Amino acid sequence: MRDEIEIIDTIRKRFNTYPPEVVRQIGDDAAVVRHDNRYLLYTTDLMVEDVHFNLTFETPYQIGFRLVSSNVSDIFAMGGEPEFMLLNIALREDLPPLFLDELMDGIEECLKRYGSSLIGGDISESINNIFLSATLIGYSMNPILRNGARAGDRIYLTGTTGDSGAGLELLKIIRKPLDIKLNQINLTPEDNKTLRSFSADMDSILYLLKRHLLPEPRPLHNILKDINSMMDISDGLSLDLWKLCRESGVGATIYEERIPLSDALKAVSTATGFDALNLALTGGEDYELIFTTSKQIDTSIIPEIKITEIGIITEEGFYIEKMNGRMEPLTPQGYVHLRKQNG
Ligand code: ADP
Ligand code: MG
């Protein structure tokens, strides 16, 4: 079987003619269609039980929240605003009635968080696994594509990466759903005991768990006009930067010493033995933004969003400059569906 990237390339080659209002199709975080004086953005995400989520260590609320926020992230990655959502669900007959209520609680909370509305969808029964899919429609006056990076552009990253990957690693050890909601955490004494067994501070552990379970993408409003290309980090920093470079026909070099790591990731990695840098380069689902620009950005321009210059776009090649100054090839590693060994 071909892997996800090869399948998308195959589909893309076959469906290659579009009406003129289609500005961008397969190959970006969202499709872009001109409509009057603005652009409509369309993105969709599919979540499959035991592939994207696992009921042994997540609550239906958290799964619903993430279904919406992963789509919101793709709209923000285009410099857009999310507006309307369609929801498709395929459920097993044996699920308790509470499953649906809690799933809807998470979906509703996230839609509210981003000012979007559910306007339709479809339902089916499923024989084995649960399937969830959301399609989010947004708009932008000036969409930012993945394919606008030019040699010489500076590469910037919002926030920190690796946190969600570390949160997932913790969950795989905890193997129990924790009642963590957007504005409320209810841990049993037993949960507290389990989390304390990691011998890292509780705030750091909860921060990483929340980064994985309830990602909160953030838009980059103030500096959009200066940006040449942008995408969100959903599959891993190295893999997603490689995708951006591929779409733009350029290369990149990033500097290891500049990769931002959260204090929580550093603390928990020291306590547990996780490889923080590897998680930051290859861990998925951080839903941060990577963007390139020929300008030097004032990185303190948006007080609530940390922005770090992590590298430079080059004519070709994909490298990481290590702490010791040596240049090494950067392997685009992260999550690729249907690829046996991810990498
Ligand atoms: P993202 O991670 O932002 O969702 P990817 O890097 O996975 O995007 O690239 C997927 C691109 O391929 C997107 O433009 C998406 O719309 C398109 N794509 C993925 N699956 C299909 C499909 N089955 N049919 C058509 N286009 C697809
Ligand atoms: Mg994306």
Side-chain angles (χ1 to χ4, degrees), residues 4 24 28 40 46 65 72 90 101 117 139 179 182 185-186 193 203 206 208 210 247 254 274 285 294 335:
E4 179 189 4
R24 186 83 169 120
D28 223 303
L40 296 180
L46 173 63
F65 190 98
V72 169
D101 294 338
S117 324
Y139 67 92
D179 186 6
L182 188 62
I185 297 180
N186 286 317
K193 202 173 138 204
D203 285 349
L206 287 173
L208 297 181
K210 217 167 162 206
E247 288 300 320
I254 59 171
F274 291 169
E285 299 184 303
S294 56
Y335 199 83

Coordinates of all heavy atoms in Angstrom, one line a residue, residues 4 24 28 40 46 65 72 90 101 117 139 179 182 185-186 193 203 206 208 210 247 254 274 285 294 335:
E4 N 0.5 7.8 3.0 CA -0.4 8.9 2.9 C 0.1 10.0 1.9 O -0.7 10.5 1.1 CB -0.5 9.6 4.3 CG -1.3 10.8 4.4 CD -1.1 11.5 5.8 OE1 -0.3 11.0 6.6 OE2 -1.8 12.5 6.0
R24 N -6.6 27.7 -4.6 CA -5.6 26.7 -4.0 C -6.4 25.5 -3.7 O -7.5 25.6 -3.1 CB -5.0 27.3 -2.8 CG -3.9 26.5 -2.2 CD -2.6 26.6 -2.8 NE -1.6 26.0 -2.0 CZ -0.8 25.0 -2.5 NH1 -0.9 24.6 -3.7 NH2 0.1 24.5 -1.7
D28 N -2.6 22.3 0.6 CA -2.4 23.3 1.6 C -3.2 22.9 2.8 O -3.9 21.9 2.8 CB -2.9 24.7 1.0 CG -1.9 25.7 1.5 OD1 -1.7 25.9 2.7 OD2 -1.3 26.4 0.6
L40 N -13.1 32.0 0.6 CA -13.6 31.0 1.5 C -12.6 29.9 1.6 O -11.9 29.6 0.7 CB -14.9 30.4 0.9 CG -16.1 31.4 0.8 CD1 -17.3 30.6 0.2 CD2 -16.4 32.0 2.2
L46 N -10.3 13.8 9.6 CA -10.9 12.5 9.9 C -10.2 12.0 11.2 O -9.0 12.0 11.2 CB -10.8 11.6 8.7 CG -11.2 10.1 8.9 CD1 -12.7 10.0 9.2 CD2 -10.9 9.3 7.7
F65 N -13.4 17.9 21.5 CA -12.8 19.2 21.5 C -11.6 19.2 20.4 O -11.5 20.1 19.6 CB -12.2 19.5 22.9 CG -11.7 20.9 23.1 CD1 -12.4 21.8 23.7 CD2 -10.4 21.2 22.6 CE1 -12.0 23.1 23.8 CE2 -9.9 22.5 22.8 CZ -10.7 23.5 23.4
V72 N -9.7 24.0 13.3 CA -9.5 25.5 13.5 C -8.1 25.8 13.2 O -7.8 26.8 12.6 CB -9.9 25.8 15.0 CG1 -9.4 27.3 15.3 CG2 -11.4 25.7 15.2
A90 N -19.7 8.2 12.8 CA -20.1 6.8 12.7 C -19.8 6.1 14.0 O -18.7 6.0 14.5 CB -19.3 6.1 11.6
D101 N -23.3 12.4 24.5 CA -23.5 13.7 25.3 C -22.1 14.4 25.5 O -21.9 15.6 25.3 CB -24.2 13.5 26.6 CG -25.6 13.1 26.4 OD1 -26.2 13.3 25.3 OD2 -26.2 12.4 27.3
S117 N -20.1 27.8 14.3 CA -21.4 27.2 14.5 C -21.4 25.9 13.7 O -20.9 25.8 12.6 CB -22.5 28.0 14.0 OG -22.3 29.4 14.2
Y139 N -13.0 31.9 6.4 CA -12.8 32.9 5.3 C -11.5 33.7 5.7 O -11.1 33.8 6.8 CB -14.0 33.9 5.2 CG -14.2 34.8 6.4 CD1 -13.6 36.0 6.4 CD2 -14.9 34.3 7.4 CE1 -13.8 36.8 7.5 CE2 -15.1 35.1 8.6 CZ -14.5 36.4 8.6 OH -14.6 37.1 9.7
D179 N -10.2 13.4 33.9 CA -11.3 14.4 33.6 C -10.7 15.8 33.6 O -10.7 16.6 34.6 CB -12.3 14.3 34.8 CG -13.5 15.2 34.5 OD1 -13.6 15.8 33.4 OD2 -14.4 15.3 35.4
L182 N -11.6 22.2 29.5 CA -10.9 23.5 29.1 C -10.7 24.3 30.4 O -9.7 24.9 30.6 CB -11.7 24.2 28.1 CG -11.1 25.5 27.5 CD1 -9.8 25.1 26.8 CD2 -12.1 26.1 26.5
I185 N -10.6 20.9 36.0 CA -9.8 19.7 36.1 C -10.3 19.0 37.4 O -10.3 19.5 38.5 CB -8.3 19.9 36.2 CG1 -7.8 20.6 34.9 CG2 -7.6 18.6 36.4 CD1 -6.3 20.8 34.9
N186 N -10.8 17.7 37.2 CA -11.3 16.9 38.4 C -10.5 15.7 38.5 O -10.8 14.7 37.8 CB -12.8 16.6 38.2 CG -13.7 17.7 38.4 OD1 -13.5 18.5 39.4 ND2 -14.7 17.9 37.6
K193 N -2.1 10.4 42.6 CA -1.0 9.5 42.9 C -0.3 9.1 41.7 O 0.9 9.1 41.6 CB -1.6 8.3 43.7 CG -0.6 7.6 44.6 CD -1.3 6.5 45.4 CE -0.4 5.3 45.4 NZ -1.1 4.1 45.7
D203 N 2.2 20.9 37.8 CA 1.8 21.9 36.8 C 2.4 21.5 35.5 O 1.7 21.7 34.4 CB 2.4 23.3 37.2 CG 1.5 23.9 38.3 OD1 0.5 23.3 38.6 OD2 2.0 24.9 38.9
L206 N 0.4 18.5 34.0 CA -0.9 18.8 33.6 C -0.8 19.7 32.3 O -1.6 19.6 31.4 CB -1.7 19.6 34.7 CG -2.1 18.7 35.8 CD1 -2.7 19.5 37.0 CD2 -3.2 17.6 35.3
L208 N 1.4 19.5 29.9 CA 1.7 18.7 28.7 C 0.5 17.9 28.4 O 0.1 17.7 27.2 CB 2.9 17.8 29.0 CG 4.2 18.5 29.2 CD1 5.3 17.5 29.5 CD2 4.6 19.4 28.1
K210 N -2.6 18.7 28.9 CA -3.6 19.5 28.3 C -3.2 19.9 26.9 O -4.1 20.1 26.0 CB -3.8 20.8 29.2 CG -5.2 21.3 29.2 CD -5.4 22.3 30.3 CE -6.7 23.0 29.9 NZ -6.8 24.4 30.4
E247 N 6.2 22.3 -1.1 CA 5.2 23.1 -1.8 C 5.8 24.3 -2.4 O 5.4 24.8 -3.5 CB 4.1 23.5 -0.9 CG 3.2 22.3 -0.5 CD 2.5 21.6 -1.7 OE1 2.1 22.3 -2.6 OE2 2.4 20.4 -1.6
I254 N 17.5 24.7 9.8 CA 17.1 25.2 11.2 C 18.3 25.0 12.2 O 19.2 24.2 11.9 CB 15.8 24.5 11.7 CG1 16.0 23.0 11.8 CG2 14.6 24.9 10.8 CD1 14.8 22.3 12.4
F274 N 12.4 11.3 28.7 CA 11.9 11.6 27.3 C 13.0 12.4 26.6 O 13.7 13.2 27.3 CB 10.7 12.4 27.3 CG 9.4 11.7 27.8 CD1 8.3 12.5 28.1 CD2 9.4 10.4 28.0 CE1 7.1 11.9 28.5 CE2 8.2 9.8 28.5 CZ 7.1 10.5 28.7
E285 N 0.8 17.1 16.5 CA -0.4 17.7 17.2 C -0.1 18.8 18.2 O -0.8 19.0 19.2 CB -1.2 16.5 17.9 CG -1.7 15.5 16.9 CD -2.6 14.4 17.5 OE1 -2.1 13.8 18.4 OE2 -3.7 14.3 17.0
S294 N 10.4 37.5 4.6 CA 11.6 38.2 4.2 C 12.0 39.3 5.2 O 13.1 39.8 5.2 CB 11.5 38.7 2.8 OG 10.5 39.6 2.7
Y335 N 4.3 12.0 11.9 CA 3.3 11.0 11.6 C 2.9 10.9 10.2 O 2.4 11.9 9.6 CB 2.1 11.2 12.5 CG 1.3 10.0 12.6 CD1 1.6 9.0 13.5 CD2 0.2 9.7 11.7 CE1 0.9 7.8 13.6 CE2 -0.5 8.5 11.8 CZ -0.1 7.6 12.7 OH -0.8 6.4 12.8

